[in-house]
Amino acid sequence: MSSETSSRNTQANSRDTGAVKFEPAIELDRASHLPLHAQISAPIRRAILEGHILPGTPIENEISMAQRLKVSRPTARQALQSLVEGGFLLRRRGVGTIVAPQPKRQLMRLPSLHEELQAEGHESSTEILQYNHRRATEAIAEQLGVEVDAPVIELERLRKRDGVPVAILYNWLSAEIAPSRDQLDGHGLYELLRRAGVELTSTTQSVGAERPDKREAKLLAISMRDPVLTIDRTAFNSRGDIVEWGFHIYRGDLYRYESTVFAQPEI
């Protein structure tokens, strides 16, 4: 996997204006655990956070992005939509997609699913499917804001409610702050991070609805025709540093998503 951390401005292949639009320089790793839309959105988010592209800058549209990166339009659309929902981009009729005036993160309560289930009076249990020590690839480094080859922990867990599978949880975080495998057997990830003094104050996230693949359906004890809810989430501390990145798949019949969204100022 290689993904350039630098970005470039080029003339977008667009029929609407001919104005210079921002195009992230990306090479996709199609064998990675990271979804393609996450590999696309990460360099754009990083460039905005680091001030390399300014508020009001036009962003390459999904048609051009899909053609250039050889991905489907829904994948390109999901990458951009996750940034819109996170407050990094705005869509303007007649203008297209632009960098938000003051990129904001969506503020929300940050319990773990384990804590949510317990608060509702359910028994919460976890089956750890993977607990891997690995080195950060370019894509994971972009997601976590760490150096390439930095030690990270890659988690895959099956969360159960009263013994019934409710969610598959994929998470990546720095090995320096990651709880042990034994700790995760009986506690939620966010709960353990807080106990260790790691502050979690905000997230950016994208919510979607999909059909599960064969393995996901088997783990969740549903059919491949049943819809699942997906949440692509990055958690930050009060300084704006990335603490954790996760991609979660929930049974649509057993989980309901709630959040509070704050309006963006118009430009």
Side-chain angles (χ1 to χ4, degrees), residues 23-35:
E23 295 181 0
I26 301 171
E27 291 184 16
L28 299 174
D29 180 2
R30 299 175 190 273
S32 171
H33 286 291
L34 290 169

Side-chain angles (χ1 to χ4, degrees), residues 51-116:
H52 297 314
I53 48 176
L54 300 178
T57 300
I59 302 295
E60 177 183 22
N61 64 45
E62 68 188 44
I63 298 175
S64 171
M65 181 177 289
Q67 292 174 344
R68 184 171 63 85
L69 299 179
K70 295 181 172 57
V71 298
S72 67
R73 281 189 63 182
T75 294
R77 184 182 306 118
Q78 188 172 3
L80 293 176
Q81 185 60 29
S82 68
L83 295 167
V84 171
E85 292 173 357
F88 292 94
L89 300 179
L90 295 174
R91 296 189 189 277
R92 288 286 177 263
R93 185 180 298 276
V95 176
T97 303
I98 62 172
V99 177
Q102 293 179 331
K104 294 183 179 180
R105 299 188 180 92
Q106 182 179 354
L107 302 179
M108 57 176 298
R109 190 170 60 95
L110 292 174
S112 64
L113 178 57
H114 177 75
E115 293 173 296
E116 289 181 350

Side-chain angles (χ1 to χ4, degrees), residues 62-262:
E62 68 188 44
I63 298 175
S64 171
M65 181 177 289
Q67 292 174 344
R68 184 171 63 85
L69 299 179
K70 295 181 172 57
V71 298
S72 67
R73 281 189 63 182
T75 294
R77 184 182 306 118
Q78 188 172 3
L80 293 176
Q81 185 60 29
S82 68
L83 295 167
V84 171
E85 292 173 357
F88 292 94
L89 300 179
L90 295 174
R91 296 189 189 277
R92 288 286 177 263
R93 185 180 298 276
V95 176
T97 303
I98 62 172
V99 177
Q102 293 179 331
K104 294 183 179 180
R105 299 188 180 92
Q106 182 179 354
L107 302 179
M108 57 176 298
R109 190 170 60 95
L110 292 174
S112 64
L113 178 57
H114 177 75
E115 293 173 296
E116 289 181 350
L117 295 176
Q118 288 185 327
E120 294 170 358
H122 298 288
E123 178 186 354
S124 176
S125 59
T126 303
E127 180 181 346
I128 299 178
L129 305 176
Q130 292 189 69
Y131 185 99
N132 299 327
H133 293 264
R134 61 174 301 176
R135 296 288 176 177
T137 62
E138 294 266 0
I140 293 175
E142 284 280 359
Q143 289 287 353
L144 294 180
V146 299
E147 297 293 330
V148 174
D149 290 330
V152 298
I153 296 295
E154 178 181 65
L155 303 175
E156 182 186 19
R157 295 167 293 155
L158 182 65
R159 180 77 74 208
K160 297 180 181 180
R161 187 182 79 177
D162 301 327
V164 178
V166 65
I168 305 169
L169 311 175
Y170 298 95
N171 299 88
W172 291 262
L173 66 165
S174 171
E176 183 179 356
I177 63 171
S180 70
R181 183 183 183 118
D182 289 343
Q183 288 176 311
L184 287 163
D185 275 331
H187 301 279
L189 176 59
Y190 284 4
E191 174 191 357
L192 292 169
L193 288 172
R194 287 195 300 269
R195 287 185 182 183
V198 178
E199 186 180 22
L200 295 162
T201 59
S202 63
T203 69
T204 63
Q205 58 186 23
S206 173
V207 180
E210 303 176 7
R211 301 286 184 183
D213 63 23
K214 184 175 181 180
R215 179 175 180 270
E216 292 164 353
K218 182 177 180 180
L219 286 171
L220 293 174
I222 57 177
S223 78
M224 294 176 65
R225 297 185 301 275
D226 292 322
V228 294
L229 179 73
T230 63
I231 298 182
D232 181 338
R233 174 186 295 173
T234 302
F236 299 82
N237 62 23
S238 61
R239 298 185 303 275
D241 300 324
I242 298 171
V243 174
E244 170 268 343
W245 177 76
F247 185 76
H248 302 167
I249 303 170
Y250 301 86
R251 279 181 56 159
D253 61 334
L254 294 181
Y255 185 78
R256 184 177 66 180
Y257 169 77
E258 296 180 357
S259 70
T260 301
V261 179
F262 296 88

